Amino acid sequence: MPDHRMITLLTDFGLKDPYVGIMKGVISRINPHVRIIDITHEIPPHNVEAANFCLMMAYPHFPAGTVHVAIVDPGVGGKRRALGMEFAAGIIVGPDNGIFTGILDREQIINAVELTNSEYWLTQRPGMTFHGRDIFAPVAAHLTMGTPLKALGPEIDPAMIVRLDRPVFPENAPVITGTVQYIDRFGNLITNIPAAYVGGKEWVITAAGVRIRGCHTYSDTPRGNLLALEGSHGFLEIAINGGNAQASLQVGYGLSVRVEITHSKKTDGKKEGDHE
Amino acid sequence: MPDHRMITLLTDFGLKDPYVGIMKGVISRINPHVRIIDITHEIPPHNVEAANFCLMMAYPHFPAGTVHVAIVDPGVGGKRRALGMEFAAGIIVGPDNGIFTGILDREQIINAVELTNSEYWLTQRPGMTFHGRDIFAPVAAHLTMGTPLKALGPEIDPAMIVRLDRPVFPENAPVITGTVQYIDRFGNLITNIPAAYVGGKEWVITAAGVRIRGCHTYSDTPRGNLLALEGSHGFLEIAINGGNAQASLQVGYGLSVRVEITHSKKTDGKKEGDHE
Amino acid sequence: MPDHRMITLLTDFGLKDPYVGIMKGVISRINPHVRIIDITHEIPPHNVEAANFCLMMAYPHFPAGTVHVAIVDPGVGGKRRALGMEFAAGIIVGPDNGIFTGILDREQIINAVELTNSEYWLTQRPGMTFHGRDIFAPVAAHLTMGTPLKALGPEIDPAMIVRLDRPVFPENAPVITGTVQYIDRFGNLITNIPAAYVGGKEWVITAAGVRIRGCHTYSDTPRGNLLALEGSHGFLEIAINGGNAQASLQVGYGLSVRVEITHSKKTDGKKEGDHE
């Protein structure tokens, strides 16, 4: 039932210009009945890390069969490949630049193709700058109409898909390092260190020269103080209860962080300062 | 015909992060056919007054049976209740913090419940921070599928629902005081004093130390001058013809205002200065 | 099949306030099944030039029969007419202030009316400030339900529809002048000079006292340098490779630009500086 499929859009195009509306028009001309849902269009321009995080957070909440379009594409018009991938959770299209790292870490890929068949594009000669309109939107619309992924281009080796650098987490390592992969509108700093790493242990995170002890909820820490916790997104996070950690620490994407396991079990009553 | 119902969303989540898109995904997994309309996601963070105003302005324009989801929720994860209410105009869900004051003032409540039945939630153990995803979105989706409100939790006494403080308006009082309940993108200051209070009379409003005579249209006042009028929203409003009253007066939400009836009928030709 | 029609919205209302949501509610009460797509609501306030550009870019990508609503309306409540126009590409409604110049230049008008029949409005007595809600949204919804354009008001002479001033392009003129009609989120300056004017020739554009030689792609110019090219939108554009031309030149809408044809064919190897 192609009619029941939906398309999600995630881009860095913003909502000021007509670009997103144009993509929806292109989709609607091919499939006037498909439902289109915006995940966000306010990814910081060209920030593939942030796009990867948002897509990873959002896709599991959509129906199986949904076609997800994710476009943060600093290499548009160059040699980067245009990808289509099929998972049990849905079909995903976008540029081959690491934006799909989080999905590839979590889902079994069924099939992957390079989108080279211009028969399913808006035009045989797409421009250099707007592959959202010229390639990704029409391809997504055709997928919702029942076009099989394999019709869109030659199969590729999933192992060759570009992935973002991820920190290495040796089992039982007492210290690991990672980076800030997303900063939300509240200035919370979301690292790429999985919460599972510290599960059930006491820990301290160091970022921008500040040491912060891991806690459990925002309300464990007085308002205005830095805190670190296992975020609901599954990663370690640095925040300020009632404040903005990004502004307070004056940091940004890619900030290096270091996590140290301080006690393997929470049987020690001694407390460290929240930060110093 | 649950298929024909729609859901509206009103939050302070913003459009930068994937939160709103995730709520729509959660809704779509339960009811893939429901239409979802955004009222706004740019309520100033935690501003329940502003959310109450926007919801009050918007809900009457939607079809009966619409499910409205309104989430500005500074108390999320604490003891505030999650509410579901049925009116002739629609069903409304959100936190019990005063956000529904305007609707409760205007509509007859048919039924109200506390949303405690986790069978209709996304998860049996919702997180502390994102009840939009975990409780309100799935509950709204189930309502559009025909789940009766009473299935979602125990009935509560409508008189116990939290309401925002509203100014008292004694009949024929010559002077009343209120506050600014909403500031729109043009910097217009919308008070919580009903236009009906001054209907057919002459009046003066005092705010931030400035006295402004009530007029009828923007064009009654020279460009750049402060003016006060009965807004189309049904409340007294302070504005600047071609300018920004908020920026000019350097004021914000909650500003106290005082309205005085100066003449009971408009038979007096004498004019006061626009402001002083 | 009115059910399959869709409505697009393009306004300067922004997304902070509930205005756009209210328009969608009004539409949904009349046609609960129509699909509504936002082109943009972030047109700079009252900027009819920018709205004209965005509408012109977007409408060709939507299905024939789509009803486009375009509202940037500094004259609301005054004497400007409310228009409905039928083209092969769709039906378009909005204020008669030049916002439709680009469409009128490209499409053959089939029929045009003044929207005076209040039977299809939200209210017999629309307010002075929000004709989007009171007139344009309900009229658009009725059009998707099959109401013929002619029922909405008396026919008018298409030649009398307001148009924006456009530069005159005498054939083979060696020099022409125009203005900046749109500035996108990247600070690219899009002029109203058609790319066809310089097609196949060498050219230089002068803006804000700077001379810039026309090139073919962003990558022809070092990062951080001003460049000028034939944009994918069909107009000459000034940009900075990896930068913001608006911020760098400190210019805005309406900036005057001058284009000079320097060689009629590209057989001359001599190069000019990118800018001076």
Side-chain angles (χ1 to χ4, degrees):
Chain A
M1 289 183 296
D3 221 21
H4 296 179
R5 289 207 179 167
M6 62 186 69
I7 290 174
T8 76
L9 302 179
L10 182 156
T11 77
D12 62 352
F13 297 163
L15 293 174
K16 172 188 180 297
D17 298 316
Y19 305 134
V20 172
I22 287 170
M23 286 178 63
K24 294 178 181 176
V26 169
I27 290 167
S28 298
R29 281 173 74 100
I30 296 166
N31 184 350
H33 300 287
V34 72
R35 299 159 51 79
I36 306 169
I37 292 180
D38 299 307
I39 294 178
T40 178
H41 298 287
E42 303 289 352
I43 299 292
H46 295 183
N47 191 326
V48 176
E49 277 276 3
N52 170 66
F53 178 80
C54 289
L55 180 61
M56 179 171 60
M57 289 300 101
Y59 83 85
H61 293 290
F62 285 85
T66 297
V67 178
H68 300 281
V69 180
I71 312 174
V72 171
D73 195 7
V76 64
K79 292 182 180 172
R80 67 99 185 97
R81 299 188 296 187
L83 292 185
M85 289 163 292
E86 191 171 356
F87 302 90
I91 300 177
I92 300 182
V93 301
D96 184 18
N97 60 17
I99 199 172
F100 306 117
T101 303
I103 294 179
L104 292 166
D105 284 351
R106 282 160 180 72
E107 304 286 336
Q108 188 67 38
I109 203 163
I110 296 170
N111 195 15
V113 305
E114 183 177 357
L115 304 172
T116 56
N117 187 349
S118 61
E119 191 182 333
Y120 296 98
W121 297 356
L122 181 64
T123 163
Q124 301 294 310
R125 295 181 56 196
M128 300 290 280
T129 56
F130 195 3
H131 288 188
R133 173 194 62 195
D134 296 342
I135 297 176
F136 296 116
V139 157
H142 283 295
L143 285 165
T144 66
M145 293 296 285
T147 300
L149 190 66
K150 290 183 182 180
L152 302 176
E155 283 193 63
I156 60 173
D157 178 358
M160 300 301 291
I161 295 173
V162 174
R163 287 166 185 248
L164 299 172
D165 282 340
R166 299 285 92 173
V168 177
F169 302 113
E171 207 172 343
N172 296 318
V175 172
I176 54 173
T177 58
T179 58
V180 168
Q181 68 173 325
Y182 191 68
I183 302 175
D184 71 16
R185 74 185 300 228
F186 304 107
N188 298 323
L189 307 171
I190 300 168
T191 74
N192 60 7
I193 299 177
Y197 173 74
V198 302
K201 299 170 188 164
E202 295 197 356
W203 53 287
V204 169
I205 189 166
T206 306
V210 178
R211 268 172 70 88
I212 311 162
R213 196 170 68 86
C215 66
H216 288 286
T217 69
Y218 278 54
S219 52
D220 286 359
T221 306
R223 281 181 71 85
N225 280 26
L226 279 164
L227 60 92
L229 78 176
E230 304 173 30
S232 60
H233 34 66
F235 295 94
L236 301 186
E237 174 180 335
I238 297 169
I240 289 179
N241 184 7
N244 184 309
Q246 177 184 29
S248 175
L249 292 175
Q250 301 217 31
V251 296
Y253 278 89
L255 175 73
S256 182
V257 300
R258 179 181 180 279
V259 174
E260 185 182 346
I261 304 295
T262 51
H263 296 278
S264 62
K265 288 190 184 174
K266 292 171 184 169
T267 54
D268 187 330
K270 196 178 61 175
K271 289 203 175 186
E272 258 186 85
D274 282 324
H275 57 96
E276 56 201 40
Chain B
M1 290 183 297
D3 221 21
H4 296 180
R5 287 205 181 170
M6 63 185 70
I7 289 175
T8 75
L9 303 178
L10 182 156
T11 77
D12 62 353
F13 297 164
L15 293 174
K16 172 187 181 297
D17 298 315
Y19 305 133
V20 172
I22 287 170
M23 286 179 63
K24 293 178 182 176
V26 169
I27 289 167
S28 298
R29 280 174 74 99
I30 296 166
N31 184 350
H33 300 287
V34 72
R35 297 159 52 80
I36 306 170
I37 291 179
D38 299 306
I39 294 178
T40 179
H41 298 287
E42 302 290 354
I43 299 291
H46 294 184
N47 191 327
V48 176
E49 277 276 4
N52 170 67
F53 177 80
C54 289
L55 180 61
M56 178 171 60
M57 288 300 102
Y59 83 86
H61 293 290
F62 285 85
T66 297
V67 179
H68 300 281
V69 180
I71 312 174
V72 171
D73 195 8
V76 63
K79 292 181 178 171
R80 68 96 186 98
R81 300 188 295 186
L83 291 186
M85 289 164 291
E86 191 171 356
F87 302 89
I91 300 177
I92 300 182
V93 301
D96 183 18
N97 61 16
I99 198 172
F100 305 117
T101 303
I103 294 180
L104 293 166
D105 284 350
R106 281 161 181 70
E107 304 286 335
Q108 188 67 37
I109 203 162
I110 295 170
N111 195 15
V113 304
E114 184 177 358
L115 304 172
T116 56
N117 187 348
S118 61
E119 190 182 334
Y120 296 99
W121 298 356
L122 181 64
T123 165
Q124 300 294 310
R125 294 182 55 196
M128 300 289 280
T129 56
F130 195 2
H131 288 189
R133 173 193 63 195
D134 296 342
I135 298 176
F136 296 116
V139 157
H142 283 295
L143 285 165
T144 65
M145 293 296 286
T147 300
L149 190 66
K150 291 185 181 180
L152 302 176
E155 284 194 63
I156 59 174
D157 179 357
M160 301 300 290
I161 295 173
V162 174
R163 288 166 186 247
L164 299 171
D165 284 340
R166 298 286 91 174
V168 178
F169 302 112
E171 204 170 347
N172 295 319
V175 172
I176 55 174
T177 59
T179 59
V180 168
Q181 68 173 324
Y182 192 67
I183 302 175
D184 71 16
R185 74 185 300 230
F186 305 107
N188 298 322
L189 307 172
I190 300 167
T191 74
N192 61 6
I193 300 178
Y197 173 73
V198 302
K201 299 169 188 164
E202 295 197 356
W203 55 286
V204 169
I205 190 166
T206 305
V210 177
R211 270 171 69 86
I212 311 162
R213 194 171 69 86
C215 65
H216 288 286
T217 70
Y218 278 55
S219 52
D220 286 359
T221 305
R223 280 181 73 84
N225 279 26
L226 279 164
L227 60 93
L229 76 176
E230 305 173 30
S232 61
H233 34 65
F235 294 95
L236 301 186
E237 173 180 336
I238 297 169
I240 289 179
N241 184 7
N244 184 308
Q246 177 185 29
S248 174
L249 292 175
Q250 301 217 30
V251 297
Y253 278 89
L255 175 73
S256 182
V257 300
R258 178 181 180 279
V259 174
E260 185 182 346
I261 304 294
T262 51
H263 296 277
S264 61
K265 288 189 185 175
K266 290 169 184 169
T267 53
D268 187 330
K270 195 178 63 175
K271 287 204 175 186
E272 257 186 85
D274 283 325
H275 56 97
E276 57 203 38
Chain C
M1 290 184 297
D3 221 21
H4 295 181
R5 288 206 180 169
M6 62 186 70
I7 289 174
T8 76
L9 302 179
L10 182 155
T11 77
D12 61 354
F13 297 165
L15 293 174
K16 173 189 181 295
D17 299 316
Y19 305 133
V20 171
I22 287 171
M23 285 178 64
K24 293 178 182 177
V26 169
I27 290 168
S28 298
R29 282 174 73 100
I30 296 166
N31 184 351
H33 300 288
V34 73
R35 298 158 52 79
I36 306 170
I37 291 179
D38 299 307
I39 294 179
T40 178
H41 297 287
E42 303 290 352
I43 299 292
H46 293 185
N47 191 326
V48 176
E49 277 276 4
N52 170 67
F53 178 79
C54 289
L55 180 61
M56 179 171 59
M57 288 299 101
Y59 84 85
H61 294 290
F62 286 85
T66 297
V67 178
H68 299 282
V69 180
I71 312 173
V72 171
D73 195 8
V76 64
K79 292 182 181 171
R80 67 98 186 99
R81 300 187 295 186
L83 292 186
M85 289 163 292
E86 193 171 356
F87 302 89
I91 301 177
I92 300 182
V93 301
D96 183 18
N97 61 15
I99 200 173
F100 305 117
T101 303
I103 294 180
L104 293 166
D105 284 351
R106 282 160 181 70
E107 304 285 336
Q108 187 68 37
I109 204 163
I110 296 170
N111 195 15
V113 304
E114 184 176 358
L115 303 173
T116 56
N117 187 349
S118 61
E119 190 182 333
Y120 296 98
W121 298 355
L122 181 65
T123 164
Q124 300 295 310
R125 295 182 55 197
M128 300 289 280
T129 56
F130 195 2
H131 287 189
R133 174 193 63 195
D134 297 342
I135 297 177
F136 296 116
V139 157
H142 283 295
L143 285 165
T144 65
M145 294 295 286
T147 300
L149 189 65
K150 290 184 182 181
L152 302 177
E155 284 194 62
I156 59 174
D157 178 357
M160 301 301 290
I161 296 173
V162 174
R163 288 167 185 247
L164 299 171
D165 283 339
R166 299 286 91 171
V168 178
F169 301 113
E171 205 171 345
N172 295 318
V175 172
I176 54 173
T177 58
T179 58
V180 168
Q181 68 172 326
Y182 191 68
I183 302 174
D184 70 16
R185 75 183 301 228
F186 305 107
N188 298 323
L189 308 171
I190 300 167
T191 74
N192 61 6
I193 299 178
Y197 173 73
V198 303
K201 300 171 188 165
E202 295 198 356
W203 54 286
V204 170
I205 190 166
T206 305
V210 178
R211 267 170 71 86
I212 312 162
R213 195 170 68 86
C215 65
H216 288 286
T217 70
Y218 277 54
S219 52
D220 286 358
T221 306
R223 280 182 72 85
N225 280 26
L226 279 164
L227 59 92
L229 77 178
E230 305 172 30
S232 61
H233 33 67
F235 295 94
L236 300 186
E237 174 181 336
I238 297 169
I240 290 180
N241 183 8
N244 185 309
Q246 176 184 30
S248 174
L249 292 176
Q250 301 218 31
V251 297
Y253 278 89
L255 175 72
S256 182
V257 300
R258 179 180 180 281
V259 174
E260 185 182 346
I261 304 295
T262 51
H263 296 277
S264 61
K265 288 190 184 175
K266 290 168 185 170
T267 54
D268 188 330
K270 196 180 61 175
K271 286 203 175 188
E272 257 186 85
D274 283 323
H275 57 96
E276 56 201 39

